Amino acid sequence: MGRARTIARRTFLIGSAAIAGGVAFGIYKVRTPHDNPLAEGLGKGEATFNPFVKITPEKITLITPHADIGQGVVHMQAALIAEELDVEFGQFETDFGAPAPAYWNTALSAEAVPFASFDESFGARTMRGMVGSVTKLLGVMGTGGSSSAPDQYEKLRAAGAVARETLKLAASQQSGVAVDELKTANGAVQLPDGTSLAYTELAEAASGLDPVSDVTLRDPSTWRLIGKPMARKDIPAKTTGTQIYGIDLKLDGMVYASTRVSPRRGAMNGYEANGADTMPGVSSILPVTGGVAVVANSTWRAMNAANQIEFDWADAPYPAEQDAHWEEVAASFTEKRLDKEWRADGDVDAAMDGAEVISSEYRAGYVAHQPLEPLNAIVRADKNGAEVWTGHQLPRFLQQKVAAIVGCEPDDVIYHNQYSGGSFGHRLEWDNVTQAAEIAVQMRGTPVKLTLSREEDFATDYPRQIGMSRSKGTAKDGKVDSWSLDIATVSAARSMSGRLGVPVPGPDTQIAAGAWAMAYGIPNLRVRAYAVPELAPTSSWRSVGASTAGFFAESFLDELIHAAGADPIEERLRLCNNDVHRKVLEAVAEMSGWGTPMGDNQGRGVALVESFGVPVAQVIEVTNTDAGIKIDRVYVAADVGRVIDPVNFENLVQGGVVWALGHAINSEITYSDGMAEQTNYHASEGMRMHQAPEIIVKGLENAEKIRGIGEPPVPAAPPALANAIFAATGQRIREMPFNKHIDFV
């Protein structure tokens, strides 16, 4: 039967909140379901069975509350419901739905607790349950951390099954045929005589019934959609240029705005308009926090006028020059700044005493988010509340932010989530929304569309954390014997939570993410994380801490294996103490033909990094040409427990690899005079088309838990590339971006 089983009503409504959480916060309160937001305002003959399915005489609507930031999550969510509801693509509409506690994310607790993803001890389960209970009680919605699939995998299938069985009950009462003699297919209940009753025809009858609460999910062997190649529902519009994003929206009576705020993240001492206020189409220059907004009759005119203004910015609250940032990171390997010792296996110091110790320092600089769709938002404020149109990953927090500016209750902020043209963590921040709200309260009743210029986006981005590692270790008898791994980064979680007004208790689990929970049984292993005091404010970036710590860990492990004289994959397999991770390594070795001869000036590198519960192994092949390094092929094996859509899975992995490699070889944000020096894509390139390698992907399904794949392909790519470069050239690259030290073609 696999994962198919009876889903009780309380399981469906509560999700993963554990009994431990119920004990801490009150079992009744934790088990009490949130109200169904679709039930409010239902018209005659309209039925809703749960927060995810609404059927009227005219149409079927599936609610897909996770934000679609390019990862295809609307399609994924719809497929999970459709599998059990027995509807086909084209028979229903999707809607993000209004923000509501009923859409709380059951999977957020996985990364919020200081336990390895594969740790199923009582303490780990208890802590996850407690965090899950808090998340449920607060109704925390959120898209990120590759949590959409694990959050919705059972929840949405159950939602579809509940709706299906309730519609069958309505058909039974209407036709007189027993429920167990009825079937469903193609959006209809089928009677034994061949008659089909469309779900839309049954909506009115079903609206008067209590939803059937105990349902059995279908066995995977019967699935029509899940696990099968699917055509994503948003692809036709995206490939024809007809997909509507937030930046495309227009409202009657709308004005356009662009902002300039301090690139030093401080105050504005003053400004000279220099005629900007009299430029064609400009109606006003208004204050916003840290700068001004220009309001005009087009975005282009607003941006041009904003560029005309001369500003006097206050000094930055962080070091003005990049060298001072690195000095602060280097000074953070102290007991006072120790955030947490994550691993203390064996006796590292004793193992190194008298042995030949190798040591290395690795660095990873700031990098920008750089989504293709410039940040934008439309806000209309009136005396009673506000309405917001934009793409965002934290809808209920967005309501709170806007409400505080407008002077209303969060529930009086109506939010319309939009398809987003990328995020990579950028749409976890607020500046575009709060700035639009600040303008809107000065023009109540008028819709204000704010669009940031690309240069403004680069200047005011909250980049990925800057970090450094210091490692030392020993080899003994041809094996890795000891390793001390110290990682120091600024805490992006604390930086972001400070702007959110939500404290981060305890250690930051992301500083050493991708490193401390390595599934390696090294006899003597110590991993320590050090928190660098905040420098330039930072934020979550695709794969967060693992994007740096994974590079630090797997690169130096390769150094230790080389010192031992061992094979990079064979030694990793020998050390691997987790069967799921081992199978991922074995798969990528087989895919890449590891150990087979390569040509002159060629090399292979391997890395294994787990992030967000997903082990990903990559082998990269390179050629050292006269003009520089050419990346030839990348082989990727990843285990997410269940591949929901093989086509989208492959695309997400390939996109993640291109994203990771492009930033590893080309991209960095540096500061001078307190401001980011890189102003647009020309100065912070991603991967060029001619640099893109062939990428071969394999998805494994050995893990017990369902996981997401949006972020996990990123961390293993940089170390696998660095290790391949060493194999081809003998040169160790210990700093990102790599183009500081070597050329690429």
Side-chain angles (χ1 to χ4, degrees):
M1 290 291 288
R3 294 183 177 85
R5 64 176 188 272
T6 297
I7 303 294
R9 179 174 182 270
R10 74 179 188 194
T11 305
F12 167 53
L13 294 173
I14 297 173
S16 63
I19 293 299
V23 171
F25 303 103
I27 290 177
Y28 174 78
K29 188 67 175 176
V30 171
R31 290 183 172 178
T32 301
H34 290 297
D35 293 336
N36 179 359
L38 302 181
E40 185 176 347
L42 281 179
K44 187 178 186 308
E46 298 181 344
T48 180
F49 313 91
N50 47 62
F52 304 99
V53 181
K54 178 180 178 180
I55 301 180
T56 71
E58 292 75 36
K59 62 182 179 179
I60 300 169
T61 302
L62 307 184
I63 305 301
T64 55
H66 277 281
D68 199 305
I69 48 181
Q71 79 280 45
V73 74
V74 163
H75 167 81
M76 181 272 292
Q77 293 173 97
L80 292 173
I81 302 173
E83 183 68 73
E84 293 286 342
L85 184 55
D86 278 333
V87 291
E88 305 298 328
F89 286 100
Q91 292 186 313
F92 58 82
E93 296 180 358
T94 62
D95 193 291
F96 289 110
Y103 302 121
W104 68 283
N105 190 325
T106 61
L108 288 178
S109 63
E111 289 295 312
V113 299
F115 294 93
S117 64
F118 44 82
D119 186 344
E120 291 300 324
S121 65
F122 176 77
R125 289 185 289 108
T126 299
M127 184 66 75
R128 291 188 192 111
M130 293 181 68
V131 174
S133 296
V134 173
T135 306
K136 191 259 181 178
L137 291 173
L138 295 177
V140 177
M141 294 179 67
T143 301
S146 290
S147 64
S148 296
D151 173 44
Q152 301 286 48
Y153 180 69
E154 282 192 354
K155 190 190 299 183
L156 295 189
R157 289 188 297 136
V162 166
R164 179 193 73 223
E165 294 304 313
T166 308
L167 288 161
K168 286 169 63 178
L169 179 60
S172 174
Q173 294 183 356
Q174 184 171 301
S175 66
V177 178
V179 170
D180 59 6
E181 296 182 38
L182 301 175
K183 297 181 180 179
T184 54
N186 296 312
V189 177
Q190 298 178 336
L191 276 59
D193 64 2
T195 301
S196 289
L197 300 176
Y199 291 164
T200 50
E201 297 173 18
L202 293 168
E204 184 169 4
S207 66
L209 300 175
D210 290 332
V212 175
S213 59
D214 291 325
V215 296
T216 300
L217 300 186
R218 287 175 171 162
D219 189 272
S221 65
T222 68
W223 285 346
R224 311 167 350 266
L225 301 172
I226 300 174
K228 310 296 193 300
M230 289 183 268
R232 246 173 63 180
K233 69 182 296 292
D234 56 327
I235 293 301
K238 288 181 175 179
T239 53
T240 57
T242 57
Q243 177 65 59
I244 300 299
Y245 296 93
I247 201 169
D248 299 314
L249 297 179
K250 295 181 180 179
L251 300 180
D252 291 340
M254 185 172 74
V255 297
Y256 299 81
S258 191
T259 55
R260 288 289 304 278
V261 301
S262 174
R264 296 191 182 114
R265 290 297 182 185
M268 178 184 69
N269 294 328
Y271 71 92
E272 291 291 337
N274 289 337
D277 51 344
T278 61
M279 291 177 68
V282 173
S283 59
S284 59
I285 299 177
L286 302 174
V288 295
T289 300
V292 301
V294 175
V295 180
N297 60 5
S298 77
T299 295
W300 182 244
R301 284 176 164 173
M303 287 182 179
N304 282 340
N307 290 335
Q308 185 73 16
I309 302 172
E310 183 178 344
F311 293 92
D312 177 15
W313 304 119
D315 291 341
Y318 48 80
E321 303 302 323
Q322 185 64 38
D323 285 348
H325 291 239
W326 285 117
E327 289 169 6
E328 191 66 38
V329 176
S332 294
F333 294 94
T334 65
E335 188 66 29
K336 183 178 180 180
R337 294 183 180 178
L338 179 64
D339 202 50
K340 183 177 173 64
E341 183 174 78
W342 288 96
R343 291 281 286 271
D345 304 344
D347 191 330
V348 170
D349 294 329
M352 293 186 185
D353 187 24
E356 183 177 349
V357 177
I358 66 169
S359 61
S360 294
E361 180 178 278
Y362 283 79
R363 292 185 173 198
Y366 297 110
V367 288
H369 291 89
Q370 306 173 212
L372 283 177
E373 181 192 6
L375 289 183
N376 60 85
I378 298 175
V379 178
R380 178 173 56 206
D382 57 33
K383 63 181 181 180
N384 298 315
E387 204 162 357
V388 181
W389 293 261
T390 192
H392 205 274
Q393 295 171 245
L394 297 171
R396 283 172 55 76
F397 286 111
L398 178 147
Q399 289 177 302
Q400 294 175 18
K401 287 280 187 180
V402 173
I405 294 168
V406 174
C408 64
E409 294 299 318
D411 287 343
D412 293 326
V413 176
I414 301 170
Y415 175 54
H416 308 277
N417 213 341
Q418 304 296 314
Y419 276 91
S420 300
S423 173
F424 316 112
H426 208 13
R427 293 178 185 274
L428 291 166
E429 293 292 342
W430 319 96
D431 289 3
N432 59 311
V433 179
T434 55
Q435 288 171 12
E438 289 181 10
I439 303 166
V441 296
Q442 299 174 73
M443 306 180 65
R444 290 186 187 261
T446 300
V448 175
K449 181 175 186 176
L450 170 66
T451 306
L452 270 62
S453 68
R454 186 71 67 193
E455 290 77 10
E456 182 70 4
D457 192 4
F458 265 77
T460 60
D461 186 21
Y462 299 97
R464 182 187 70 183
Q465 70 278 351
I466 186 174
M468 180 186 297
S469 74
R470 290 175 177 169
S471 281
K472 56 183 180 179
T474 63
K476 183 179 180 181
D477 299 328
K479 302 173 182 177
V480 175
D481 183 61
S482 69
W483 181 9
S484 173
L485 170 59
D486 291 346
I487 297 173
T489 77
V490 296
S491 172
R494 293 186 181 116
S495 181
M496 180 181 171
S497 67
R499 294 185 291 277
L500 188 60
V502 178
V504 176
D508 179 358
T509 60
Q510 286 299 317
I511 291 177
W516 74 267
M518 294 180 289
Y520 296 132
I522 297 172
N524 305 285
L525 174 62
R526 181 173 63 214
V527 180
R528 296 179 292 201
Y530 296 85
V532 180
E534 183 166 80
L535 299 168
T538 55
S539 187
S540 293
W541 187 89
R542 191 174 184 179
S543 76
V544 202
S547 68
T548 50
F551 168 60
F552 300 154
E554 281 291 306
S555 297
F556 186 74
L557 177 59
D558 216 63
E559 292 198 51
L560 285 175
I561 293 173
H562 179 73
D567 178 83
I569 280 189
E570 290 301 321
E571 180 64 356
R572 281 176 170 85
L573 285 170
R574 186 190 70 80
L575 293 169
C576 192
N577 56 15
N578 181 285
D579 190 52
V580 175
H581 292 65
R582 172 181 291 275
K583 289 177 179 176
V584 166
L585 264 175
E586 291 172 341
V588 84
E590 181 179 358
M591 292 165 63
S592 64
W594 187 271
T596 58
M598 300 196 74
D600 294 339
N601 299 316
Q602 291 186 312
R604 290 190 186 102
V606 63
L608 169 66
V609 181
E610 182 203 284
S611 61
F612 302 97
V614 178
V616 176
Q618 296 187 25
V619 168
I620 295 183
E621 296 179 347
V622 302
T623 300
N624 184 25
T625 74
D626 291 340
I629 293 293
K630 181 180 183 298
I631 307 173
D632 299 313
R633 278 168 296 280
V634 181
Y635 300 91
V636 189
D639 197 317
V640 292
R642 175 75 70 182
V643 176
I644 295 174
D645 179 353
V647 175
N648 201 43
F649 179 90
E650 181 180 44
N651 289 339
L652 281 170
V653 172
Q654 291 173 334
V657 169
V658 168
W659 169 264
L661 292 178
H663 284 82
I665 68 177
N666 291 335
S667 301
E668 185 178 25
I669 295 295
T670 56
Y671 289 86
S672 180
D673 194 23
M675 297 179 283
E677 295 183 283
Q678 294 73 22
T679 59
N680 210 320
Y681 289 124
H682 72 282
S684 184
E685 295 182 357
M687 175 166 272
R688 294 288 191 171
M689 288 290 289
H690 68 270
Q691 295 175 320
E694 179 185 8
I695 303 172
I696 301 94
V697 177
K698 184 173 185 178
L700 279 64
E701 298 182 323
N702 298 308
E704 292 186 5
K705 294 183 179 179
I706 305 300
R707 304 287 187 178
I709 195 59
E711 305 194 60
V714 173
L721 176 58
N723 296 338
I725 292 171
F726 173 77
T729 68
Q731 180 180 356
R732 284 284 179 195
I733 308 296
R734 299 188 177 96
E735 180 181 17
M736 295 193 284
F738 298 167
N739 64 3
K740 288 183 174 182
H741 308 281
I742 200 165
D743 293 328
F744 290 85
V745 296

